[in-house]
Amino acid sequence: MSEKKKKMALIVHSGTMDKLIPVFILASTAPAMDLEAHLFFTFWGLNALKKGGLENAKLPGWMGLDTDMIKKRMENIKAPTLQKLLQMCVESGNVKLYACSTTMELMNIKKEELIPEVDSILGAASFLDIALDADFSLFI
Amino acid sequence: MEDYPIDIIIDAKGLSCPMPIVKTNKIIKQMKNGEILKVLSTDPGSKRDFESWAKKTGNTLLEISESDDIFTYIIRKGGELDE
């Protein structure tokens, strides 16, 4: 495969389960579609990259109370969990996860608190460079 | 319905998006060009998904059929048989 793969660039700004599920469904499907996925986690999104972050992601606001119900329903329809989707992304080798450096400082998150699947810690310029080279970008 | 010599069958019934495509893609990578794969899925979005996936990855979707809410896809690894 010497041909250059098409790329998708995602800014993951949200840390709630309802947004993280589509993020990880798109990212885990990308390699099957011969696409590279580059995910830049910023602000609330960065919580998803903290150890235990995906497990603890909840529905937004007062709907948070229904999180367990949604998890149960996902299990019933055999939908993969966020952790399973992450694992599929990593195994593919074509999904890269980046942590926003400013968010880390702002929220006082140390590198050791992030899951080992994180590819690197980046600033805005690096992400823009990746996005410039991508075929499409999304903000979720 | 033509009788294709099926090499591998994937039963993805009951699995929701994106599992049918991700599983299919994983298996087809281990197959040889020209080999034939049959996939069963109950995901209502899978028809369009398999069409897009085959087009994008250069595999050939030989046949799509549906009965009792089960979709059957017959896929040949690779493009037209002229390689």
Side-chain angles (χ1 to χ4, degrees):
Chain A
M1 282 259 169
S2 57
E3 197 185 322
K4 197 170 166 265
K5 278 193 198 306
K6 294 217 175 217
K7 275 190 192 177
M8 141 174 120
L10 260 63
I11 295 182
V12 187
H13 177 271
S14 315
T16 53
M17 191 195 192
D18 57 318
K19 304 275 203 325
L20 290 171
I21 289 171
V23 161
F24 278 97
I25 286 185
L26 291 175
S28 59
T29 310
M33 290 293 282
D34 244 350
L35 280 171
E36 275 178 23
H38 296 260
L39 280 59
F40 183 67
F41 291 79
T42 187
F43 238 89
W44 313 119
L46 193 59
N47 285 329
L49 295 188
K50 282 166 75 174
K51 286 173 184 151
L54 288 180
E55 288 85 338
N56 293 320
K58 292 194 170 35
L59 290 174
W62 56 267
M63 284 187 286
L65 298 168
D66 289 333
T67 302
D68 285 343
M69 184 196 72
I70 288 286
K71 280 189 176 173
K72 191 84 207 139
R73 286 178 66 162
M74 284 175 62
E75 203 181 303
N76 290 343
I77 64 162
K78 292 191 189 157
T81 59
L82 283 168
Q83 299 94 289
K84 170 77 186 160
L85 289 168
L86 169 71
Q87 189 195 335
M88 283 156 54
C89 288
V90 172
E91 280 171 4
S92 76
N94 277 315
V95 181
K96 299 276 180 267
L97 310 175
Y98 308 110
C100 166
S101 56
T102 306
T103 306
M104 289 184 64
E105 274 189 64
L106 187 66
M107 304 202 176
N108 197 22
I109 299 170
K110 300 273 166 290
K111 201 179 168 204
E112 303 74 54
E113 294 173 55
L114 299 179
I115 53 173
E117 289 84 350
V118 174
D119 196 75
S120 48
I121 297 164
L122 300 183
S126 314
F127 178 74
L128 287 174
D129 196 31
I130 290 168
L132 266 177
D133 193 41
D135 295 87
F136 70 100
S137 303
L138 298 172
F139 181 97
I140 303 181
Chain B
M1 246 213 200
E2 222 178 298
D3 260 343
Y4 292 103
I6 309 292
D7 293 294
I8 294 182
I9 298 177
I10 301 177
D11 184 357
K13 292 199 298 290
L15 297 179
S16 72
C17 165
M19 297 313 289
I21 287 286
V22 172
K23 260 185 190 270
T24 300
N25 195 66
K26 203 169 179 178
I27 299 286
I28 211 158
K29 275 191 174 158
Q30 297 158 12
M31 293 169 64
K32 295 192 193 78
N33 264 351
E35 284 190 325
I36 297 191
L37 173 67
K38 176 176 171 175
V39 185
L40 305 172
S41 171
T42 46
D43 172 14
S46 64
K47 187 166 171 284
R48 186 66 194 272
D49 276 359
F50 273 86
E51 287 170 347
S52 305
W53 168 81
K55 207 169 117 194
K56 185 73 186 68
T57 53
N59 293 297
T60 311
L61 194 49
L62 297 167
E63 194 176 287
I64 302 174
S65 56
E66 185 194 354
S67 79
D68 300 327
D69 295 327
I70 298 169
F71 295 91
T72 304
Y73 304 99
I74 311 283
I75 303 152
R76 186 177 58 225
K77 173 154 181 171
E80 298 305 316
L81 284 179
D82 56 8
E83 338 180 2

